[in-house]
Amino acid sequence: MAQLTIERGMPKAAPKTEMVGILRRMARSKECYLLLIPTFALVMLFNYYPAGSALYHSFFEWNGANFIRFIGLGNFIEMTKDPIIGQSLLTLVKLTLLSLTINLTFPLAAAALIFHLRDLRLAYFYRVLFVIPMVVPSMVVLMIWRFIYSPNIGLLNQFLKLIGMAVLARPWLGDFKLALYAIIFIGFPWVAGIGTLIYLAGFQAIPTELLDAAAIDGASTRKRLWYVELPLVMSQIKLIVILTVIGSFQNFTTIMVMTNGGPGTTTMVPGLYLYRNAMYYNKMGYACAIGTTLFILTLVLTYLNTRYLRSSVEYVGE
């Protein structure tokens, strides 16, 4: 019985032994941990502290300076009554869905085409070709597209006049019905960038044995892509979905540069409305509430994506 008691008590001491081992390893590498302290301090100061401050001040009426008054859920209740919030959320949903449609098709198709090229030098050339636009600052790209959409001297309207279709020329960013779609069209044909490289990395990680077995079984290129390759790049697809959703919820620079939320409020997004409330109207507490809401929505959508977007087949390399 005594021996049985000792054996039952051993697992309770295991966590303490493991913790002691961890502390000893940390003590042996204390210099490395000391070098990491500035990094963690800066991350806490510039990432976590602002987020915590925004969550805290979302329950206050605050002008960002000398006036602060606790109002509880007042800012969030005001959001439910604000018509601009409702319209901006609808615009955000449209932008997110359209961005997902683009990022799950065009970059994926480009990566698949590069992957199936037999000439490795040509595949490398196209890979480099798609990476080059990434070194161009995004602001430069936006200014180029503003010039393309310019109603008077813009490249698009001038081209339409040149080919005898001047009737289609219009102020693209000033059209209530087309402004949002003009913004979505930025970056056409949407194949250059990190998305193509992520998909291509997924394709290249597929074991050649599986592809050879599919070819021996007589699978066509289309069937091999649909039944073998796509299920094995589901991890990359999930990553693209997460990055697209987070990017759509956080990005307002494109809207601010191209239309500033106009015409009217047809292209207003919550991020830009947050910026206006904070910087123009001195409603910092309300802006913090908008930011907190966006954070919660992004967190929920990311969880749902990682929880339910799965593949029936997944390869895990050794």
Side-chain angles (χ1 to χ4, degrees):
M1 291 296 291
Q3 184 178 0
L4 181 60
T5 304
I6 293 174
E7 290 177 355
R8 289 181 176 177
M10 286 178 64
K12 296 182 180 179
K16 294 183 179 180
T17 305
E18 184 179 355
M19 181 60 67
V20 171
I22 293 174
L23 292 177
R24 287 178 179 174
R25 289 195 296 269
M26 291 178 64
R28 287 195 298 266
S29 306
K30 56 182 179 297
E31 294 84 0
C32 298
Y33 288 100
L34 289 175
L35 291 174
L36 288 174
I37 288 177
T39 300
F40 284 110
L42 292 175
V43 169
M44 293 294 296
L45 179 62
F46 293 104
N47 285 351
Y48 290 98
Y49 173 73
S53 176
L55 177 61
Y56 172 76
H57 287 103
S58 64
F59 299 102
F60 290 84
E61 182 183 0
W62 181 42
N63 65 356
N66 56 358
F67 176 79
I68 184 169
R69 180 171 64 91
F70 179 77
I71 57 174
L73 298 176
N75 288 321
F76 297 95
I77 295 174
E78 183 180 352
M79 287 177 57
T80 61
K81 302 176 182 178
D82 193 336
I84 298 180
I85 285 290
Q87 183 177 0
S88 64
L89 284 174
L90 180 60
T91 302
L92 180 61
V93 170
K94 293 180 180 179
L95 284 172
T96 303
L97 292 177
L98 290 172
S99 297
L100 282 172
T101 302
I102 291 172
N103 291 334
L104 292 176
T105 52
F106 291 90
L108 181 61
L113 290 174
I114 295 174
F115 176 69
H116 286 97
L117 284 175
R118 295 183 178 180
D119 191 336
L120 297 181
R121 292 184 178 181
L122 188 61
Y124 178 79
F125 170 75
Y126 281 118
R127 194 160 65 242
V128 173
L129 196 64
F130 287 145
V131 171
I132 290 177
M134 295 175 60
V135 304
V136 180
S138 59
M139 190 59 63
V140 174
V141 176
L142 293 179
M143 296 307 295
I144 291 174
W145 278 93
R146 279 195 63 177
F147 169 73
I148 292 174
Y149 286 136
S150 176
N152 298 321
I153 60 173
L155 181 63
L156 182 55
N157 281 346
Q158 292 299 319
F159 175 74
L160 292 174
K161 293 176 183 178
L162 182 65
I163 62 177
M165 303 180 66
V167 66
L168 297 178
R170 63 195 64 213
W172 300 95
L173 296 177
D175 191 303
F176 281 82
K177 295 182 179 179
L178 296 177
L180 185 63
Y181 300 100
I183 291 174
I184 286 292
F185 200 77
I186 292 175
F188 180 84
W190 310 297
V191 295
I194 193 67
T196 303
L197 297 181
I198 290 175
Y199 286 130
L200 185 58
F203 282 119
Q204 291 176 338
I206 298 175
T208 55
E209 294 82 0
L210 295 178
L211 300 177
D212 293 340
I216 293 173
D217 290 340
S220 63
T221 302
R222 181 180 61 84
K223 289 184 177 180
R224 191 166 67 246
L225 174 65
W226 186 257
Y227 294 107
V228 178
E229 296 170 2
L230 286 183
L232 293 177
V233 296
M234 185 57 67
S235 297
Q236 284 72 27
I237 293 175
K238 288 173 59 176
L239 177 60
I240 291 296
V241 171
I242 292 174
L243 293 178
T244 301
V245 171
I246 294 176
S248 298
F249 274 66
Q250 291 183 345
N251 179 41
F252 68 90
T253 306
T254 302
I255 302 293
M256 185 169 65
V257 172
M258 301 300 292
T259 63
N260 199 26
T265 57
T266 54
T267 58
M268 179 67 68
V269 291
L272 180 57
Y273 193 50
L274 180 157
Y275 176 81
R276 285 189 177 182
N277 277 278
M279 300 300 172
Y280 294 168
Y281 313 141
N282 293 327
K283 298 173 64 175
M284 291 291 293
Y286 190 53
C288 290
I290 297 175
T292 300
T293 303
L294 287 177
F295 167 75
I296 294 173
L297 289 175
T298 305
L299 186 64
V300 170
L301 291 175
T302 302
Y303 170 76
L304 292 177
N305 174 66
T306 56
R307 179 67 175 83
Y308 295 105
L309 184 59
R310 293 182 176 181
S311 172
S312 57
V313 179
E314 186 170 356
Y315 171 74
V316 180
E318 295 180 357

